[in-house]
């Protein structure tokens, strides 16, 4: 397997894997963000159901679409079980370009039940810290715009709101679905 990234991106990836990856049994993250309807969403909203959470940005051309597609495919594999017990969540790490309407369309293009969250730069920074997501803004080589290098794990929170699993980038939808089905079954018993 070959990893293709800029020096800054590779350093971020190394730091993420070696120093900053959360324990699969981390405490419940504390955060306050907005949904695309403008309502405040805190960790309290994550109580009672499983949540699959991915941090990224709408202009991402590779990592985010791959991870969000795997999340959506896993939910589709589980069908009605997922519809009743799992909430897919996309958290935008790009506060400058966070447009509620565009984020809603972006998230729902992957799965109709996906919730998109965003916030101010400070709110996103706090959420990133709680989930141990690393984010670095990088100038684009082709335009005045910018890209964002970010951690690429998908987090599974249990119905108590605790992070119980961290799926690395590239984890297949079938692995996510199998793991999620087992966790749902264990809670249902």
């Amino acid at each position: 397997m070959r990893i293709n990234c800029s020096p800054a991106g590779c350093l971020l990836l190394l730091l993420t894997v070696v120093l900053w990856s959360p324990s699969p049994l981390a405490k419940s993250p504390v955060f306050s963000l907005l949904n695309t309807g403008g309502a405040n969403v805190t960790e309290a909203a994550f109580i009672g159901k499983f949540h699959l959470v991915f941090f990224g940005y709408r202009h991402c051309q590779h990592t985010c679409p791959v991870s969000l597609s795997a999340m959506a495919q896993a939910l589709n594999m589980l069908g009605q079980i997922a519809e009743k017990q799992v909430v897919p969540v996309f958290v935008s790490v790009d506060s400058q370009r966070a447009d509620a309407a565009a984020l809603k369309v972006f998230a729902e293009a992957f799965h109709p039940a996906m919730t998109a969250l965003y916030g101010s730069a400070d709110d996103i920074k706090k959420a990133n810290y709680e989930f141990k997501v690393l984010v670095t803004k990088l100038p684009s080589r082709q335009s005045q715009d910018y890209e964002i290098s970010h951690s690429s794990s998908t987090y599974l929170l249990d119905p108590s709101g605790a992070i119980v699993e961290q799926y690395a980038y590239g984890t297949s939808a079938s692995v996510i679905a199998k793991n999620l089905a087992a966790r749902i079954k264990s809670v249902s018993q």
Side-chain angles (χ1 to χ4, degrees), residues 42-94:
T42 68
E43 65 282 355
F46 280 35
I47 304 299
K49 290 188 177 187
F50 285 93
H51 286 73
L52 281 170
V53 181
F54 182 79
F55 286 74
Y57 68 111
R58 189 170 54 89
H59 294 86
C60 183
Q61 295 182 15
H62 181 70
T63 306
C64 296
V66 168
S67 296
L68 293 171
S69 293
M71 182 191 300
Q73 289 170 8
L75 295 172
N76 290 338
M77 288 175 186
L78 293 173
Q80 289 185 344
I81 295 169
E83 286 177 23
K84 294 177 183 176
Q85 299 187 48
V86 184
V87 179
V89 180
F90 170 73
V91 180
S92 175
V93 298
D94 187 2

Side-chain angles (χ1 to χ4, degrees), residues 50 52 74-75 77-79 81-82 85-86 156 167 173-189:
F50 285 93
L52 281 170
L75 295 172
M77 288 175 186
L78 293 173
I81 295 169
Q85 299 187 48
V86 184
L156 175 63
Y167 303 106
S174 60
V175 169
I176 295 170
K178 184 178 178 181
N179 179 272
L180 191 49
R183 288 190 178 274
I184 290 169
K185 185 178 179 181
S186 71
V187 169
S188 300
Q189 295 177 359

